[in-house]
Amino acid sequence: MTKSNLSFRLFPVLLGLALIGTALPAVAQKPELTVYTYSGFAAKWGPGPALKAGFEETCGCTLSYVAVDDGVALLTRVRLEGASTKADVVVGLDQNLTVEAAATGLFAPHGVETKSLALPVAWSDATFLPFDHGAFAVIYDTKALPQPPKSLKELVEGDPKQKIILQDPRTSTPGLGMLLWVKAVYGDQAPAAWAKLRGRILTTTKSWGDAYSLFTKGEAPMVLSYTTSPAYHLIEEKSDRYAAALFSEGHYPQIEVAAAVNGSKQAELAQRFLAFLITDKAQSIIPTTNWMFPVTATAMQPEEFKTLPKPSKMLLLPGDQVAQNRKAWTDEWLKALAQ
Amino acid sequence: MPALACALILLAALGAGIGPVLALGMGSERGVGASLSALWGDAYLRQVILFTLGQAALSTLLAVVGAVPVARALARRQAFLGRGLLLHLLAVPLLLPALVGVLALVTLYGQKGWIAGIVRALGGEMPPLYGLGGILLAHTFFNLPLAARLLLRALETVPGESWRLSAQLGFSPGHVWRFIDRPVILRALPAIAALVFLLCAGSFTIVLALGGGPGATTLEVALYEALRLDFDPTRAALLALLQTGLCLTIGALVLRFTPPTVPLSLGPGRWATRPDVALLRTRLTDGATILLAALFVGLPIVGIIVAGLRGPMARVLLDPDLWVALANSLKLIGFTTPLTLLLAGGLLLGARRLPERARQRLAGLGILPLALPPIVIGTGWFILFRPLVLAPWVAIALTAALTALMALPYALRALAPAVIEAAARHDRLCRALGVTGWQRFRLIDFPSLRRPLATATALTAALSLGDLGAVALFGATETAALPALLFSRMGSYRFDEAAVIALFFLLVGLGLFWGIEKGFGYDRRA
């Protein structure tokens, strides 16, 4: 037997040993749950780290985040990866994305008991589990605008010298929220309303951060954001300068959801994580980290959150209607503003 | 032949970007034909194309026309206090994430800005920043300095012999302009204009933030919508090809308008004083030009510094995330810069045996990465490397490769005039002496390319430090660089921290430029 022959025969054995060598630590290690989310969620000041610590206390596993830009990027990423995705759970889609997300067939029913949910709108979805919610609102600078609009109608028809900064519905979630809000209130008259509002729009930015930073620089007295925004300024900056304008027609909600991925090797852990997400323990983390409302009535909320104005009514367009018409409504919006 | 290899790598990388996106679209129910006819009949899209090209053309005109006097003034004034700093400042806008630049401009020209304060004190009213004017202002702020720097490099290729000759002939400043500066500028300008044009055509954040409404959008926005929100890869790929086609047409026009190279001199390139330096008239105009340029670029940067100093400095600097992000950014620069320089050097130096026109075409390929939207290339690569992409090293490698590709056009612009000049000067001599390959690069080319190489390196580093929206898709949290850190702050109310990070950005950039200058050493011929 020549030497080269020997090494040739030994090769599979060596390869096998090498494979066992790499596999062994994995066996000894705890199982890993991979959660795809958006970067603000996984950030140090976001809810991600505390939720990870809380879940790891009892799960006997390691939770790791993969973070992308935002909710839309989250869906894009999972779509591009398809069935081979490494994600076990996806956290951070919102109600406007659930129909398209469900159509991919990549998500599995959550199987979590949802009796404790206390959302301002009816929610029954076997796949997408809400973990926080908020409502879009016009935030105004009380120093620059003592008399804020009291309704969407007043905003649309008000003094064009008092500007508002909006986001583009094609690139930003609040932007899309505003589009749907106007649609929910004005219906077929939405294009006319946009045409009227046009004079008050300072600019339509790419993202929420772009708009809000221009607003805090004093470029305009109003910006589209969330009813919870003043809580950030109250708690983190001890400032009551910025307030949310309550509109008499009602507000448009945003409901953020999580879902387990079909065919995940950690299906059981994934379901446990989803169940954990709506426990009071997890929900009490949400308000001051994600600046949204918890989805259970019993979760702890800081005092400042209780002082926030509560919209009298929530206007939620059905998800399938939004999915069907989003493109047409965006085109309508474009036509009204871009002429 | 190295140049052909580089060109092939480039084309393969770009093809690997758009190919998978198209292929993914083929699998969907809506065919290419339907998507094409939808694009064809889209009136809004036509408006977007017109706006994209129109604002880019205007922005380019402003940036380039403004850059000519600045570059000439800097070429004439080789030694004044702060010249080095000013040159570094000219590269700063390139490294600023677009929104940081926008906020800096708002600090100066916004409703509550410094200029508005002065205008109001004088009893006037500040014209609004938003609209076409704001877009043009921001694009000029971002691109005039770049154009000026690149033009300056071209002007510096004029050999000392020409200056001595012109002095002997008693050239007036008018003669210098007509016989020396103008030909050099006209030869360099088309390619620089093309670069600026492509940058402005692909602009996204600036156009939306300052445009005042969806009437002002570029093709990039439509592309983003198609790829992200509608998840319509066919439409996205077609839009990308449309944008590339438009840009290539413009690139081809530019090549046509580039006058052929005329070797200015065959003598040794020693420095000599320009004859138009000593006159009082040029002193005054140069002084005023340089001061204006310094204010135009410098004041917004001062705005960034002021905002940063007001922020929670200690909290940001003590945060380990900042230093991890810095390390990631430096790592990225370490990977990107050699890659870009190799590609650029290969394309420019590796084709000596080809005729001049073919060489120009090869080098012209280098501008392609700017014509193709990075978000599409990034998506294509993501699809291609899907099985690997969660591993952090893959994310780093893809990010570095994408950044290197995006930096290539800048590096080429910085190097090309000097390479062409050096070729004209040394080609025959080297052939006669039989000096080729590495020896030729070391002995002949490198000494005369030292300064342009430093510029190319600085530009590449600035770009790698800056923001590339496309890499976000690779999404590996542990490899997040400085721009990602900044955006994550801006996405969660922490604008004061973002301001400190922007200042940090600025200082890191200036430090890098200074280090690169030192690293390449001073020109021994000086």
Side-chain angles (χ1 to χ4, degrees), chain A:
Chain A
M1 187 190 285
T2 61
K3 218 174 169 198
S4 68
N5 246 342
L6 178 71
S7 66
F8 189 69
R9 284 209 199 154
L10 273 179
F11 181 67
V13 180
L14 288 174
L15 186 71
L17 282 176
L19 279 179
I20 292 168
T22 49
L24 266 181
V27 172
Q29 260 174 14
K30 295 177 189 170
E32 187 180 12
L33 184 73
T34 304
V35 176
Y36 280 17
T37 187
Y38 53 85
S39 51
F41 191 91
K44 194 163 48 185
W45 55 81
L51 288 174
K52 171 181 157 80
F55 186 59
E56 283 177 351
E57 269 173 26
T58 57
C59 73
C61 69
T62 313
L63 191 159
S64 57
Y65 292 111
V66 172
V68 297
D69 271 359
D70 56 18
V72 180
L74 205 53
L75 183 57
T76 310
R77 166 110 182 205
V78 176
R79 264 173 165 168
L80 285 175
E81 290 181 338
S84 65
T85 181
K86 306 269 195 308
D88 300 309
V89 179
V90 170
V91 176
L93 304 172
D94 75 2
Q95 85 269 9
N96 292 322
L97 295 169
T98 55
V99 173
E100 282 160 75
T104 65
L106 291 167
F107 298 97
H110 56 68
V112 173
E113 177 56 62
T114 55
K115 253 193 290 185
S116 62
L117 290 187
L119 286 165
V121 290
W123 186 270
S124 59
D125 191 309
T127 305
F128 299 97
L129 182 70
F131 67 90
D132 69 17
H133 71 93
F136 297 110
V138 169
I139 302 298
Y140 66 99
D141 181 349
T142 53
K143 273 194 192 162
L145 192 71
Q147 299 284 327
K150 292 188 179 61
S151 62
L152 195 59
K153 190 165 184 288
E154 277 188 38
L155 176 74
V156 167
E157 293 170 3
D159 177 9
K161 281 210 190 93
Q162 299 291 351
K163 301 280 184 193
I164 182 167
I165 305 172
L166 296 177
Q167 299 86 355
D168 194 315
R170 295 169 296 173
T171 55
S172 143
T173 310
L176 182 58
M178 183 75 190
L179 182 84
L180 299 176
W181 194 359
V182 172
K183 194 76 203 174
V185 171
Y186 283 90
D188 292 342
Q189 296 305 307
W194 278 110
K196 211 175 258 172
L197 180 60
R198 189 179 163 194
R200 292 195 89 169
I201 302 172
L202 184 73
T203 195
T204 11
T205 64
K206 180 187 172 201
S207 70
W208 174 88
D210 295 7
Y212 212 82
S213 58
L214 286 173
F215 168 68
T216 51
K217 276 224 160 215
E219 285 296 281
M222 293 181 282
V223 67
L224 179 72
S225 187
Y226 297 87
T227 53
T228 43
S229 296
Y232 176 85
H233 300 287
L234 280 172
I235 295 171
E236 297 282 324
E237 297 171 352
K238 313 279 176 249
S239 156
D240 59 358
R241 178 171 172 184
Y242 303 111
L246 216 52
F247 283 0
S248 58
E249 295 97 338
H251 286 235
Y252 204 85
Q254 185 184 20
I255 297 151
E256 292 197 284
V257 298
V261 174
N262 240 340
S264 147
K265 289 195 190 81
Q266 305 292 351
E268 197 254 319
L269 266 181
Q271 196 194 356
R272 272 173 68 194
F273 180 71
L274 290 178
F276 168 74
L277 213 48
I278 59 167
T279 58
D280 280 348
K281 184 178 175 187
Q283 284 295 307
S284 304
I285 295 168
I286 295 285
T288 54
T289 50
N290 223 26
W291 305 100
M292 295 285 267
F293 288 106
V295 288
T296 58
T298 42
M300 291 248 293
Q301 285 185 42
E303 284 306 309
E304 288 85 348
F305 264 70
K306 291 173 189 157
T307 66
L308 293 173
K310 291 270 176 333
S312 56
K313 193 178 153 198
M314 286 293 182
L315 312 157
L316 179 64
L317 296 170
D320 46 350
Q321 198 186 335
V322 173
Q324 255 171 38
N325 296 301
R326 183 180 49 74
K327 185 95 180 116
W329 291 344
T330 311
D331 288 346
E332 189 181 278
W333 164 86
L334 267 177
K335 226 176 245 156
L337 288 187
Q339 297 303 309

Side-chain angles (χ1 to χ4, degrees), chain B residues 177-310:
Chain B
W177 167 245
R178 206 161 87 208
F179 294 110
I180 301 182
D181 284 355
R182 198 180 64 166
V184 173
I185 287 174
L186 280 184
R187 211 158 46 233
L189 215 51
I192 295 174
L195 182 69
V196 173
F197 183 88
L198 290 184
L199 280 171
C200 297
S203 172
F204 184 164
T205 306
I206 293 173
V207 171
L208 280 188
L210 294 176
T217 34
T218 53
L219 263 177
E220 291 274 322
V221 182
L223 225 157
Y224 186 94
E225 186 192 10
L227 198 58
R228 295 271 303 272
L229 207 55
D230 301 341
F231 198 68
D232 186 346
T234 317
R235 187 178 160 87
L238 289 177
L239 281 172
L241 287 175
L242 177 68
Q243 179 166 343
T244 313
L246 288 171
C247 291
L248 282 188
T249 314
I250 287 150
L253 281 176
V254 163
L255 266 187
R256 273 195 77 85
F257 283 118
T258 309
T261 320
V262 187
L264 287 162
S265 142
L266 295 173
R270 287 196 185 285
W271 295 108
T273 334
R274 295 168 56 120
D276 55 352
V277 161
L279 297 168
L280 181 67
R281 183 152 56 99
T282 58
R283 270 170 196 255
L284 286 178
T285 52
D286 287 353
T289 310
I290 290 172
L291 184 70
L292 273 178
L295 288 177
F296 181 67
V297 182
L299 278 180
I301 293 176
V302 171
I304 295 174
I305 297 173
V306 170
L309 290 176
R310 274 196 205 135

Side-chain angles (χ1 to χ4, degrees), chain B residues 65-197:
Chain B
V65 167
V68 170
V70 177
R72 285 190 81 211
L74 285 168
R76 275 201 285 255
R77 307 295 148 199
Q78 286 287 334
F80 61 87
L81 190 69
R83 185 178 189 269
L85 181 68
L86 181 60
L87 284 186
H88 290 333
L89 278 189
L90 289 182
V92 162
L94 195 63
L95 69 87
L96 292 179
L99 197 79
V100 174
V102 167
L103 290 178
L105 290 172
V106 165
T107 308
L108 194 59
Y109 306 101
Q111 287 306 304
K112 296 272 163 67
W114 299 344
I115 290 184
I118 299 171
V119 170
R120 217 164 283 135
L122 295 175
E125 199 175 327
M126 188 71 187
L129 181 60
Y130 302 86
L132 184 61
I135 295 174
L136 294 183
L137 176 74
H139 281 165
T140 311
F141 169 73
F142 275 97
N143 294 301
L144 184 148
L146 173 71
R149 252 191 95 119
L150 293 174
L151 267 183
L152 178 63
R153 281 293 163 258
L155 284 173
E156 280 172 351
T157 59
V158 177
E161 200 174 73
S162 303
W163 294 126
R164 270 194 299 278
L165 193 64
S166 65
Q168 279 161 15
L169 293 172
F171 270 20
S172 70
H175 288 128
V176 170
W177 167 245
R178 206 161 87 208
F179 294 110
I180 301 182
D181 284 355
R182 198 180 64 166
V184 173
I185 287 174
L186 280 184
R187 211 158 46 233
L189 215 51
I192 295 174
L195 182 69
V196 173
F197 183 88

Side-chain angles (χ1 to χ4, degrees), chain B residues 471-487:
Chain B
V471 301
L473 197 60
F474 304 144
T477 331
E478 59 270 38
T479 56
L482 281 174
L485 191 75
L486 193 131
F487 290 135

